[in-house]
Amino acid sequence: MDIQQKLAVLADAAKYDASCSSSGTSKRNSVGGKGIGSTEGSGICHSYAPDGRCISLLKILLTNFCTYDCLYCVNRVTSNVQRARFSVNEVVTLTLDFYRRNCIEGLFLSSGIIQSPDYTMEQVVEVARVLREDHDFRGYIHLKTIPDASPELLQRAGRYADRLSINIELPTLQGLALLAPEKDGTAIRRSMARLAVHIDDAKGAARDSSVTSIVSMPNATPRRAKPPRFAPAGQSTQMIVGADAADDVAILSTSANLYGAYSLRRVYYSAFSPIPDASFSLPLKSPPMVREHRLYQADWLMRFYGFSHEEIVPKAQGGMLALDVDPKLAWALAHVERFPVDLNVAPRAMLLRVPGLGVKAVDRLLIARRVRQLRSDDLSRLHVPLKKVMPFVVTADHRPDPTLTSHRLAAQLRPAHVQGSLFDA
Amino acid sequence: MAGPTVTNITLAGETDWPGFRNEARALLAKLISPAEVAWHTPASGAADLFSDSDVSPTSPLVAAHAHGPINLVVPSSFVTLCETVILHNDPARFGLLYSLLWRLVHEPALRHDPLDAGRVKAQHMAQSVRRDMHKMKAFVRFRTVERGEGKPPLHVAWFEPDHHIVEAVAPFFMRRFTQMEWAILTPERSVHWDGERLHFGPGGERRDAPAPDAGEALWLTYYANIFNPARLKMAMMKKEMPVKYWHNLPEAELISGLAADAMARSGRMVEAAPTQPARRIVPLASEVAPRVSNAPHEGIAGPEDVGRGAFTEPTAATHPAQALTALKKATDRCRECPIGEHATQSVFGEGPVHAALMVVGEQPGDQEDLRGRPFVGPAGRLFDQAIAQLGWPREQLYVTNAVKHFKFELRGKRRIHKTPTQREAAACLHWLESEIEQVQPRALIALGATAAKALLGRPVAVTRERGQWHDCPRGRKVLVTLHPSALLRGDPAEHEQAYKAWLDDLALATDWLKHAV
């Protein structure tokens, strides 16, 4: 099999992983180095595929041979999919070539489980080692870690990688036991805990070493050695949405727990999409992409808008987020008694709950209102969706119609029902 | 036209920031208002028709000194804003910036008003420039030119930015590709990095850049295969990768074909009957799980039946160390109370079999839950400090908790410790009893009320009963004192005194260690 065919098979096998982030790691560049590569804080999306997803990293599997039989996975042992395997050097060469062309920020490497979790992890870590040590590559590396691999291998992975991730796969332990018989949900959480401890320790060591004296006298004691790095961009995970029967309440509660327990940078949600050669036991239909989108919005509300996971899904919704309106608007419609909010006096926490106002807009309003009364013009200059915001706010020159009941508001704000098309999902 | 006299200022170039700054300062000092200034760059051609281009700058006799020197202190964020906006392609940018500078000096409130129309307009221009810079970092594509004669290959790219950003973005490519020789050509400017220095020159043409090479086919293969046809979202793609960039992106040629084919491909996947598995795996007898039926909304199986039944009490024949290992495994699976569901793992006791003293805390905290070991969080560190001061040998202590899983509530992104209920502590009691059974300590220390109740079998008022030995129902001596976390929570002013009293309590157990064999 030539490299073109391998790349086709092993990129195809990797496309179900939603993560693409290349941001949030320590700053480095290749000045004074022997190779190429830099990371400067914000990630860069070098291209976009027609599925609307960004291409930031070369996202591939080392191999799609796998001994596990996870029903939702295209690479499960019982699937008839075409198999391939890269050598360590093939991945290294591809990464460097795409990087030189400025097509990628770095590498996101994952793998099917071959021989044993430790053997697989060793191969994955070796790719990162060769890139870092033999080629002095200073771009971004994200490694998918195998939860059952030994702690020593996780330790080495963290030394070379910017980010590590372990997929939680399904929102509940029961769902995982049912669909992925070889995966152990508690072992996955234990590995996340281990990573969280390593990441935190490395951060603590970095903090301690940065407070050493900055005297550079000829005979001064040498500075303490730099603490070993460990995944400076933290860890993330992914949950598949719609492969099992878990509802949105269960999903958000699992996410909230993962954020709280393991300080994850991101939980990615991946709408279960039909795979070639699907299993008998899974829903064979278009991926629930609107639901995935609503989950991301809800996740944002938890992380940046001060919502707790219990309050995002309305009680009357049977455990599911509304699909026709975003979760923030849904919450506002369910709590009309908390509105209208006076933009000139309300606290930040309440401004953040106004539909259509983002964090940046809120912060600007807060600064501006110290020097003068806010008026509706200010909102139009902020580029916020006025139709959505105005019914919920009071400004110096605007009061919403007091007769607007939640019911009428909802009717006014819900998008007209259109036949969903593949092109605007 | 009898308008105000206009001062014409011609800058050295499109992005002449130092020139602009100096001119603006001079104009401000002469109190020349924004309406009286016309800004030009060499490329912008003739000055406008109505201006008197030979006008000498307004007389320096303007009584600036009568008002004292003008306050030219502007927020540093404004300087940053200028440096970005000046790269914009709108000829009106200099006028806008000068009018903002003028107003910042003359209207004190402006600096606190981020929603002022002029400031918002400048912000949008800056955003547009930043986006253009970002897209240049993203969409520049190098192709290799072999130069022979032992020279390293040259990597050349063609790019068409919207604004005057080449100088501003070049250092990024220098930092990223320091060990590579490269050049970026654009219609207006070109830049070349020779490994030592950046050289800027006049613009070029698209045909000056190299044609696709063989290696690019790999990138196209990757692009075509990382795309998921079941998730077609063209609008989203165009928003982030505007069509105007496509003609310089090799992969863009594939887009229309991939999109056209996507409907058919995903339709085929949905309609395809599920296939026969490639090979049957014989499931282990213990691992036969019922599979979900094809009805998508059918609930999944209930929670596994774990708990007491999953563990058989160690027999007398088992070595205590092995028995403890088995117990540790079993507590991990325990679901007799709801706490275990949300914890990472159970945290079992640590220490030697037949330790002289067993120290029992309340429950693992956040750090213990992550690390799977008892007494490693802040309270654990305080306890370590205490035993170091008492001179107790660590190898004679066995430390554990009355409850084996971490109970918490989420507050935002933090897990806040929650005291276990009586029922939860009672459900966990048999694990502690088995632990005592195996370790056989000569005496025990109960840290806090939960541990005291577990060991003495009755509610204990710790503040009243601390510092005393009590008899536990099984005949061992139990010393009751505070949990170290109570000291951490207490009034900082009384901290030292409280700590001393706590040490005195603990010291009562020292004799048990001395007599240890």
Side-chain angles (χ1 to χ4, degrees), chain A residues 111-182:
Chain A
S111 180
I113 312 282
I114 42 172
Q115 293 187 34
S116 73
D118 274 357
Y119 173 81
T120 310
M121 194 72 227
E122 253 168 52
Q123 296 287 303
V124 167
V125 169
E126 180 61 8
V127 171
R129 188 200 65 77
V130 172
L131 277 169
R132 291 278 191 242
E133 291 183 353
D134 301 355
H135 298 275
D136 195 18
F137 174 68
R138 299 185 184 184
Y140 195 94
I141 297 181
H142 178 162
L143 298 180
K144 180 70 63 188
T145 39
I146 318 283
D148 303 315
S150 74
E152 294 70 39
L153 281 166
L154 286 190
Q155 185 83 41
R156 293 189 51 213
R159 189 171 352 140
Y160 300 122
D162 290 289
R163 173 167 287 180
L164 296 173
S165 61
I166 300 176
N167 284 1
I168 194 97
E169 306 291 17
L170 294 169
T172 64
L173 290 171
Q174 295 88 342
L176 192 69
L178 211 57
L179 298 186
E182 295 91 350

Side-chain angles (χ1 to χ4, degrees), chain B residues 243-265:
Chain B
V243 178
K244 67 178 179 200
Y245 293 107
W246 289 15
H247 65 290
N248 289 324
L249 290 168
E251 62 269 30
E253 287 175 15
L254 303 176
I255 291 172
S256 61
L258 289 172
D261 203 26
M263 302 280 251
R265 275 173 74 191

Side-chain angles (χ1 to χ4, degrees), chain B residues 311-328 348 351-355 358 398 430-442 474 476:
Chain B
F311 177 72
T312 41
E313 289 289 326
T315 57
T318 332
H319 187 276
Q322 288 171 323
L324 285 171
T325 309
L327 277 166
K328 180 181 164 89
F348 204 67
V353 174
H354 304 318
M358 185 188 272
Y398 184 97
H430 69 94
W431 297 119
L432 180 62
E433 286 173 342
S434 304
E435 224 173 349
I436 297 172
E437 200 62 38
Q438 297 300 331
V439 177
Q440 294 286 344
R442 300 161 72 220
R474 297 187 167 203
R476 285 192 172 80

Side-chain angles (χ1 to χ4, degrees), chain B residues 128-314:
Chain B
S128 170
V129 169
R130 277 196 297 267
R131 185 177 160 89
D132 198 34
M133 288 173 70
H134 187 77
K135 293 301 180 195
M136 179 166 174
K137 292 172 189 176
F139 298 150
V140 153
R141 293 279 190 270
F142 289 112
R143 285 169 176 166
T144 314
V145 182
E146 294 300 341
R147 294 181 298 177
E149 297 168 41
K151 274 190 174 175
L154 178 68
H155 302 265
V156 184
W158 166 252
F159 188 71
E160 296 167 45
D162 287 340
H163 303 295
H164 312 289
I165 57 170
V166 174
E167 274 96 342
V169 180
F172 164 84
F173 286 102
M174 185 276 289
R175 291 190 298 270
R176 173 156 294 197
F177 299 113
T178 319
Q179 318 309 325
M180 213 168 87
E181 233 188 286
W182 54 264
I184 301 171
L185 313 176
T186 81
E188 196 179 80
R189 301 285 283 155
S190 67
V191 55
H192 170 215
W193 168 254
D194 61 7
E196 305 272 325
R197 192 169 307 122
L198 287 168
H199 304 272
F200 294 96
E205 288 188 26
R206 195 177 175 181
R207 58 164 190 255
D208 301 335
D213 55 292
E216 205 158 88
L218 277 169
W219 170 242
L220 299 186
T221 298
Y222 176 70
Y223 184 82
N225 285 283
I226 200 68
F227 158 61
N228 184 346
R231 302 180 54 109
L232 194 63
K233 270 192 181 175
M234 293 288 281
M236 180 74 182
M237 174 186 70
K238 287 178 181 165
K239 187 172 149 247
E240 299 294 344
M241 192 162 83
V243 178
K244 67 178 179 200
Y245 293 107
W246 289 15
H247 65 290
N248 289 324
L249 290 168
E251 62 269 30
E253 287 175 15
L254 303 176
I255 291 172
S256 61
L258 289 172
D261 203 26
M263 302 280 251
R265 275 173 74 191
S266 51
R268 276 199 301 274
M269 278 192 286
V270 172
E271 282 156 27
T275 51
Q276 286 301 327
R279 77 177 166 80
R280 293 244 167 256
I281 2 176
V282 183
L284 302 171
S286 63
E287 285 187 344
V288 180
R291 293 299 200 186
V292 204
S293 84
N294 229 343
H297 278 296
E298 193 143 290
I300 46 180
E304 275 183 89
D305 184 25
V306 286
R308 249 181 152 143
F311 177 72
T312 41
E313 289 289 326

Side-chain angles (χ1 to χ4, degrees), chain B residues 472-490:
Chain B
C472 92
R474 297 187 167 203
R476 285 192 172 80
K477 291 283 182 198
V478 177
L479 173 65
V480 172
T481 184
L482 302 182
H483 191 276
S485 63
L487 299 170
L488 294 171
R489 277 196 303 268

